[in-house]
Amino acid sequence: MKRLFIKSLLATLAVTAMGTATAQDIKDRTIKFGTVGNDGHPSVVGMKKFKEAVEAKSGGKIKVQLFVNGTLGSDQATLSAVKGGTVEMAVMNSGILASEVKALEVFDFPFLFSNEKEADVIVDGPIGQKMHAALADKGIVGLSYWELGFRSITNGKRAINKVEDLAGLKLRVIPNPINVDWVKALGANPTPLPFPEVYAALEQGAIDGQENPVSVIATSKFYEVQKFLTLTNHQYNPQSVIFSKKVWDGLSADEKKIIDDSADIAVKAQREAARSTVAANLDVLKKNGMTITSLPAAEVVKLREKMKPVIEKHSIAVGATVADVQAELAKLRK
């Protein structure tokens, strides 16, 4: 027992000594970390966990300053700032990064994933890692994937009980081609808007509705300006945690490891928050007067059919990544 104690003590001293040595490679610095998500959203839970891990691992030398609720601007503006090095970090819907690496558009394909487990296998495996690695040529370091979740549709005009009820609605979409196309395929009118502008557009009646995961709808208080929620689960979105390559290339190996490891540590807390709060957020929406419905099974089939031409069109544009994802999913579903 005494020998075991001495061994343990020596190991602890070795780790401490190693930590002291590498501390010389950690400079005092502040990382600006931005999101369009509101405080209380699961992405912010992940950001807080990341901040806690980085500051602990660096002995307080590296500080993380969080910017939530779109205070740094839209996702597109923040992405530009990350590439330019004026903002070190951001977390955003992975599909937004298709403007940099086309393969990432696959994460906006309707009805791609049946459940979160399938998504985890793809993003955490070779396919997801390859897509993040491709961002380096665009001035972006892909650190890890968090979860935005399954998207549903809200509007202020009527309950959606069948696919035809969507016709004519003016729906806000993420500003990219595939989202414009699937809304058109449903007979609705797509209105691309940066996320920070959505609440005001709904309030002013410039748009009739929007589509987002339940967590976004609740934490953004869309229930104040929307009456109806239809649980369509028509898309699943991961989120990419990204870092400015311009800044990254100036970090020491120890600093890079602290940041990379901390982003991975935050994955578990963030995904758990995203998945465990769905029911509670639905209760928030109900209590605040939203009428919540689900499409009958036959209508979901119809919805999928209307999406197929959009998927086929964009599969050609995205290329081999689509086949790779579909092949991996086919293995999982056996």
Side-chain angles (χ1 to χ4, degrees):
M1 182 68 78
K2 186 174 179 182
R3 233 185 305 171
L4 283 175
F5 173 76
I6 292 169
K7 271 187 168 182
S8 175
L9 180 61
L10 288 171
T12 302
L13 290 170
V15 169
T16 304
M18 189 167 61
T20 304
T22 59
Q24 295 172 1
D25 295 325
I26 303 169
K27 294 179 181 175
D28 289 317
R29 63 175 75 243
T30 299
I31 293 170
K32 295 185 289 295
F33 191 0
T35 184
V36 297
N38 295 69
D39 199 3
H41 185 272
S43 64
V44 181
V45 172
M47 291 169 77
K48 288 177 179 177
K49 186 69 176 177
F50 172 82
K51 172 183 169 71
E52 175 189 304
V54 166
E55 293 180 356
K57 285 175 176 290
S58 68
K61 285 194 164 187
I62 303 176
K63 293 181 172 56
V64 182
Q65 190 174 4
L66 305 183
F67 295 86
V68 304
N69 198 25
T71 51
L72 295 179
S74 67
D75 283 316
Q76 291 76 13
T78 304
L79 177 58
S80 178
V82 167
K83 290 174 69 176
T86 56
V87 171
E88 287 81 2
M89 280 187 77
V91 56
M92 61 184 64
N93 182 342
S94 299
I96 290 169
L97 298 171
S99 62
E100 307 297 326
V101 172
K102 189 66 174 174
L104 281 151
E105 189 178 299
V106 75
F107 293 131
D108 276 336
F109 276 33
F111 298 109
L112 180 66
F113 298 118
S114 300
N115 52 58
E116 295 93 341
K117 188 178 289 187
E118 289 183 353
D120 289 351
V121 170
I122 297 299
V123 300
D124 294 336
I127 296 172
Q129 299 313 303
K130 183 179 178 182
M131 285 191 267
H132 265 183
L135 290 168
D137 289 340
K138 305 294 182 176
I140 303 161
V141 176
L143 292 176
S144 61
Y145 289 96
W146 294 355
E147 176 169 290
L148 190 58
F150 283 99
R151 302 176 80 89
S152 289
I153 298 171
T154 70
N155 83 96
K157 286 190 174 289
R158 54 183 173 265
I160 307 300
N161 297 309
K162 55 185 188 297
V163 174
E164 288 77 10
D165 292 334
L166 290 161
L169 289 178
K170 197 170 183 180
L171 295 179
R172 176 267 176 177
V173 294
I174 295 169
N176 64 23
I178 191 168
N179 288 295
V180 168
D181 285 349
W182 73 253
V183 172
K184 283 182 180 176
L186 301 180
N189 300 315
T191 305
L193 277 178
F195 184 77
E197 298 176 22
V198 176
Y199 185 98
L202 292 168
E203 186 176 38
Q204 294 161 12
I207 53 176
D208 300 317
Q210 60 84 55
E211 46 85 48
N212 256 302
V214 167
S215 60
V216 175
I217 297 165
T219 58
S220 301
K221 299 185 178 180
F222 286 159
Y223 52 77
E224 295 176 345
V225 288
Q226 296 277 267
K227 173 67 176 171
F228 303 100
L229 166 64
T230 310
L231 299 173
T232 50
N233 291 339
H234 56 274
Q235 280 174 318
Y236 172 91
N237 295 142
Q239 289 184 303
S240 289
V241 180
I242 59 173
F243 202 96
S244 170
K245 191 170 187 300
K246 193 170 184 179
V247 177
W248 185 262
D249 288 345
L251 300 178
S252 69
D254 288 330
E255 289 170 330
K256 288 176 181 176
K257 181 167 172 48
I258 286 170
I259 291 164
D260 200 8
D261 289 351
S262 297
D264 288 341
I265 286 168
V267 167
K268 185 179 178 185
Q270 195 280 332
R271 289 183 189 170
E272 281 179 356
R275 294 165 193 180
S276 65
T277 56
V278 172
N281 280 322
L282 282 171
D283 283 342
V284 168
L285 299 179
K286 286 176 187 172
K287 286 174 183 174
N288 282 279
M290 288 196 86
T291 299
I292 301 173
T293 59
S294 296
L295 289 176
E299 292 299 317
V300 174
V301 171
K302 197 188 298 181
L303 188 64
R304 285 175 175 267
E305 285 300 313
K306 285 186 174 288
M307 299 284 200
K308 278 184 179 178
V310 176
I311 294 168
E312 288 167 9
K313 172 186 172 182
H314 287 271
S315 292
I316 295 167
V318 172
T321 300
V322 179
D324 292 342
V325 171
Q326 289 171 339
E328 190 63 31
L329 291 174
K331 285 183 203 172
L332 290 171
R333 292 166 183 168
K334 278 184 181 178

